[in-house]
Amino acid sequence: MTERRYDPTSGEWVTFATHRQNRTYKPKDDFCPLCPTKDESAPTEIPSEHFEIVTFDNRFPAYSIDAPVPDVADSSFYRVLPASGRCEVIVYSDDHSLTFADLPLSRLRMLVEVWIDRWKILGEEAEVSYVMPFENKGEVVGTTLSHPHGQIYGYPNVPPRAQRELEAAAQYLQDTGRCVECDVIAAELEGGDRVIYSNGSWLAWVPFWARFPYEVHVAPKLHRPSLVDLTMDERADFADILSVVAKSYDCLFGFSLPYIMAFHQRPTDSAQDWDPISHFHVEFAPPHRSSDKLKYLAGSELAGGAFITDVVPEMAAERIRKAGALIK
Amino acid sequence: MTKNPTNATDAFDYGDEVVVRVHTSDGTSILLRHVDAMADARRITFYRQVKVEIA
């Protein structure tokens, strides 16, 4: 059963996907469903002996193009809709032992083009309003498959956090005539103490308001509403900066750091002109607050929506910069 | 088992589509995609990068 139910007390949609209770959970060590199929009697998800990058429809999708009619009746008060959309898995390599940080620059450059292609393809679906590539890395954020991979969700509506960002950006544009993300980037370049890396066209920094101790944002210095708007040089620089951030994280505490990485960009529907208020950026949210302690989202964060962060952003940035200096 | 062409000619014969041409410091390559169906009819897309030989 999948369906979306509307919460009139918060104005947000909640998706139900009960079949996901049966999704793959910690498969046996000797069988990875994301590895190439070497033996046809034991096929994985990918029917090829070798591959570079592969995307496929999730076996247990929260959203699908042929979403079933909801189980419960729709009403004017309790609104319910099919869970329409698209959920894809994107596998970065056929080498099971790698992580995102281990990928060579040439593969990351290719990955940028694949993300762009998927954004176009999923965004063209009538049921999809917002395309969000993301990666959950590490068991502490719920990942049970260590093979290097991410996911791409084509949501039927703009997800709440992205929606709030767009609304704040629209208000800022109305008040000042400028893009808020462009002004953030200008402020970080001027101050510098929260910057962890910069190349020709991109900036990586710990946000002034970081909600996670070692949160990092990555954005193009010029206003680009979505991945597809990047120039060829910017695409190459994007691959470079993602590599540096991921490698720096792995040098921070001396182990492969878990994180959630998510892309925020222009919605793919035509509800309004998104370009002036959408500035493409990537958010990394690692759950560690030290090498052996996690930040749990608890009462204040989950019940109140009020984040309390344990590390000052300027200190976090200094530590990540020092870690970056250790990259081999 | 899905075919896995390693050069542009074989890839085009196989029905791959060109996604984009990429110029890097070590040459030019094209990104190809091949859309297929999995055993249960789910969609799967293979992306391959192939070097372009400049005559």
Side-chain angles (χ1 to χ4, degrees):
Chain A
M1 179 276 266
T2 65
E3 61 192 32
R4 292 189 295 142
R5 297 185 182 189
Y6 185 69
D7 171 3
T9 68
S10 69
E12 294 179 0
W13 289 89
V14 177
T15 300
F16 294 82
T18 56
H19 63 292
R20 286 179 57 76
Q21 282 280 44
N22 301 319
R23 67 184 181 274
T24 309
Y25 182 76
K26 293 188 178 177
K28 292 176 184 172
D29 288 343
D30 60 350
F31 181 80
C32 169
L34 303 183
C35 273
T37 295
K38 299 290 187 187
D39 174 1
E40 290 198 48
S41 67
T44 69
E45 291 282 58
I46 303 166
S48 179
E49 289 185 63
H50 302 284
F51 62 85
E52 294 176 43
I53 296 175
V54 168
T55 66
F56 58 85
D57 292 325
N58 195 311
R59 182 185 289 271
F60 302 97
Y63 305 100
S64 56
I65 293 301
D66 54 352
V69 174
D71 277 5
V72 297
D74 182 37
S75 76
S76 59
F77 184 64
Y78 278 148
R79 295 164 60 194
V80 59
L81 287 171
S84 301
R86 196 120 222 174
C87 291
E88 291 190 337
V89 177
I90 176 168
V91 185
Y92 307 149
S93 167
D94 61 4
D95 186 340
H96 181 88
S97 67
L98 299 180
T99 68
F100 183 81
D102 299 325
L103 297 175
L105 209 49
S106 58
R107 178 58 55 88
L108 286 169
R109 177 68 186 85
M110 181 179 172
L111 188 54
V112 170
E113 294 297 341
V114 174
W115 280 323
I116 291 170
D117 196 47
R118 299 324 294 172
W119 188 87
K120 291 179 188 170
I121 289 171
L122 270 62
E124 284 172 0
E125 302 273 13
E127 294 85 352
V128 171
S129 292
Y130 193 89
V131 179
M132 190 174 85
F134 62 91
E135 180 187 346
N136 302 324
K137 179 192 168 196
E139 277 195 55
V140 293
V141 295
T143 308
T144 61
L145 303 177
S146 63
H147 196 110
H149 75 287
Q151 303 190 56
I152 306 174
Y153 272 26
Y155 291 98
N157 55 305
V158 181
R161 183 165 152 67
Q163 179 70 39
R164 284 196 294 275
E165 277 185 355
L166 291 165
E167 288 168 359
Q171 185 64 52
Y172 189 86
L173 181 69
Q174 185 179 321
D175 294 345
T176 66
R178 297 190 302 274
C179 161
V180 64
E181 192 80 11
C182 286
D183 279 5
V184 166
I185 291 164
E188 295 302 328
L189 281 168
E190 188 179 338
D193 54 350
R194 285 178 295 274
V195 171
I196 67 162
Y197 182 70
S198 174
N199 61 25
S201 55
W202 289 77
L203 186 71
W205 75 100
V206 178
F208 178 72
W209 61 87
R211 298 171 308 145
F212 291 86
Y214 293 95
E215 182 172 340
V216 167
H217 287 200
V218 173
K221 293 174 185 172
L222 297 179
H223 187 82
R224 303 288 185 242
S226 72
L227 272 169
V228 75
D229 300 306
L230 300 175
T231 66
M232 283 296 172
D233 285 345
E234 288 168 341
R235 295 176 191 193
D237 283 350
F238 183 34
D240 168 66
I241 202 164
L242 287 177
S243 178
V244 170
V245 170
K247 289 178 190 297
S248 298
Y249 271 152
D250 284 357
C251 293
L252 183 62
F253 296 128
F255 57 83
S256 185
L257 192 72
Y259 57 69
I260 295 168
M261 171 181 75
F263 292 13
H264 291 205
Q265 54 191 326
R266 171 165 53 92
T268 54
D269 66 20
S270 53
Q272 66 179 83
D273 180 11
W274 301 106
D275 285 2
I277 58 171
S278 175
H279 189 132
F280 175 77
H281 63 281
V282 181
E283 298 186 1
F284 284 88
H288 278 80
R289 59 186 170 91
S290 68
S291 63
D292 59 351
K293 295 185 182 70
L294 295 173
K295 172 182 177 56
Y296 291 100
L297 300 190
S300 186
E301 290 85 1
L302 280 181
F307 276 74
I308 298 168
T309 310
D310 308 276
V311 180
V312 175
E314 295 75 26
M315 181 63 73
E318 185 180 347
R319 290 173 182 164
I320 300 171
R321 275 197 305 271
K322 283 182 179 172
L326 302 174
I327 296 173
K328 292 172 184 170
Chain B
M1 194 80 71
T2 301
K3 290 181 185 174
N4 193 28
T6 54
N7 64 62
T9 304
D10 287 350
F12 291 132
D13 287 346
Y14 178 49
D16 282 12
E17 306 163 274
V18 176
V19 176
V20 70
R21 182 177 292 255
V22 180
H23 305 278
T24 57
S25 57
D26 62 342
T28 298
S29 57
I30 51 174
L31 180 66
L32 301 166
R33 74 166 165 243
H34 185 89
V35 184
D36 218 331
M38 301 168 83
D40 58 4
R42 281 181 291 143
R43 182 178 59 179
I44 184 166
T45 306
F46 292 85
Y47 288 89
R48 303 180 182 92
Q49 195 159 2
V50 181
K51 286 274 184 189
V52 176
E53 301 297 333
I54 307 295

